[in-house]
């Protein structure tokens, strides 16, 4: 496939949105069980943008974010990026550990709790995607980074940039009932994986 | 004259003159290569993502790679009126953002980017005056074409000038 001739049609976007919806729904259920509170989600957004624009999509290049990153192995490799503003990550850690976190510091325990939430969410998301597409997808162990959003994503984009000028992001937003935790969950399929996913659901034809 | 802050995105480059500021926000494993002619106050800024154009299939954007971007940036500087023998470089970025390497492409990518930039600048006979590279944190870079100074801002370490 010559990646840069690839045009994502409106129909493809709709299909990806629908898949995102199903997968994120599954993940929201898992997260709400983990946290013991209602988790709402917004209709997923699908972005197919030049690599340079990705930092804006994830919240702005300089925005300080807490991010959990997992690699996706298997039939359609990619990356999962779960991003929170710092204050929201603190609330999330507080809910999970049962302790209030002091300003400015994320303890080992907080980080580990946030990673755990990322793992469970990713597993639930990928599980749904797997059964929908019949593709084998396995998440790696999570990494956590607290830094500027631009710096977090450039690492991930470097790999995509080696073969493409564009990146695909399926963005799902999770919000708890008090609206104190808002997180964005991004699935970034590798350039070749988009074709694999579309093929798996019978939406790929050589006409685009 | 008004100062313009010109933002240079990933895999892009800009050449301008004093009093402009060339900037990139949130650089992680990418590298900002800056060239400066202090006499004419002309500066160039390339935001590279990968070390080597010769090893990848997709060669459409020369600004993405250390080797081609450095060459092209130098050419653009000369075109803008900079003097070859006055041009010096500073480099920023090349952090190691995550503990894991996703693939061979990403293995130690920050360091490989920095090493390649140094190698290419050396081949081009351009001296590197200063660098702020490596570590595990992101950086924002502001290159002041009036002074040639670079302000580097990070979450972990605040601000510094090189």
């Amino acid at each position: 496939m010559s990646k840069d001739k690839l045009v994502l049609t409106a129909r493809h976007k709709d299909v990806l949105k629908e898949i995102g919806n199903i997968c994120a729904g599954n993940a929201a259920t898992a997260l709400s069980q983990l946290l013991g509170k209602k988790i709402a989600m917004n209709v997923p957004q699908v972005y197919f943008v030049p690599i340079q624009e990705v930092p804006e999509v994830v919240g702005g290049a300089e925005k300080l974010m807490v991010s959990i990153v997992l690699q996706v192995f298997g039939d359609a490799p990619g990356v999962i990026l779960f991003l929170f503003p710092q204050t929201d990550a603190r609330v999330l850690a507080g809910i999970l550990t049962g302790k209030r976190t002091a300003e400015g510091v994320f303890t080992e325990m907080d980080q580990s709790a946030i990673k755990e939430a990322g793992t469970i969410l990713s597993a639930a998301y990928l599980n749904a995607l797997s059964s929908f597409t019949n593709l084998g997808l396995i998440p790696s162990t999570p990494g956590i980074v607290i830094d500027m959003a631009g710096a977090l994503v450039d690492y991930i984009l470097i790999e995509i940039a080696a073969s493409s000028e564009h990146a695909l992001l399926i963005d799902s937003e999770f919000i708890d009932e008090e609206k104190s935790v808002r997180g964005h969950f991004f699935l970034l399929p590798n350039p070749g994986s988009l074709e694999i996913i579309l093929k798996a659901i019978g939406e790929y034809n050589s006409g685009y | 004259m008004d100062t313009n802050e010109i933002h240079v995105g990933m895999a892009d480059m800009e050449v301008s003159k004093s009093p402009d500021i060339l900037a990139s926000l949130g650089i992680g494993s990418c590298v900002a290569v800056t060239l400066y002619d202090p006499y004419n106050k002309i500066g160039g800024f390339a935001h590279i993502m990968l070390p080597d154009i010769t090893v990848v299939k997709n060669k459409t954007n020369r600004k993405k790679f250390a080797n081609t971007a450095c060459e092209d940036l130098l050419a653009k500087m000369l075109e803008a009126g900079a003097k070859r023998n006055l041009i010096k470089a500073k480099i920023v970025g090349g952090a190691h953002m995550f503990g894991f390497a996703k693939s061979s492409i990403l293995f130690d990518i920050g360091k490989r980017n920095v090493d390649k930039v140094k190698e290419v600048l050396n081949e081009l006979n351009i001296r590197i005056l200063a660098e702020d590279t490596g570590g595990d944190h992101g950086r924002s870079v502001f290159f002041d074409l009036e002074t040639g100074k670079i302000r580097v801002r990070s979450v972990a370490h605040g601000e510094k000038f090189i």
Side-chain angles (χ1 to χ4, degrees), chain B residues 15-43:
Chain B
V15 169
S16 193
K17 283 185 176 136
S18 166
D20 287 350
I21 290 172
L22 299 176
S24 270
L25 306 180
I27 291 184
S29 302
C30 291
V31 175
V33 184
T34 68
L35 300 180
Y36 190 58
D37 167 348
Y39 183 75
N40 294 299
K41 300 197 172 182
I42 295 171

Side-chain angles (χ1 to χ4, degrees), chain B residues 22-66:
Chain B
L22 299 176
S24 270
L25 306 180
I27 291 184
S29 302
C30 291
V31 175
V33 184
T34 68
L35 300 180
Y36 190 58
D37 167 348
Y39 183 75
N40 294 299
K41 300 197 172 182
I42 295 171
F45 189 123
H47 185 158
I48 64 112
M49 303 186 81
L50 286 153
D52 195 350
I53 197 166
T54 59
V55 299
V56 298
K57 275 189 227 139
N58 176 7
K59 303 182 200 293
T60 46
N61 186 356
R62 288 172 56 89
K63 292 181 275 190
K64 211 187 277 176
F65 305 92

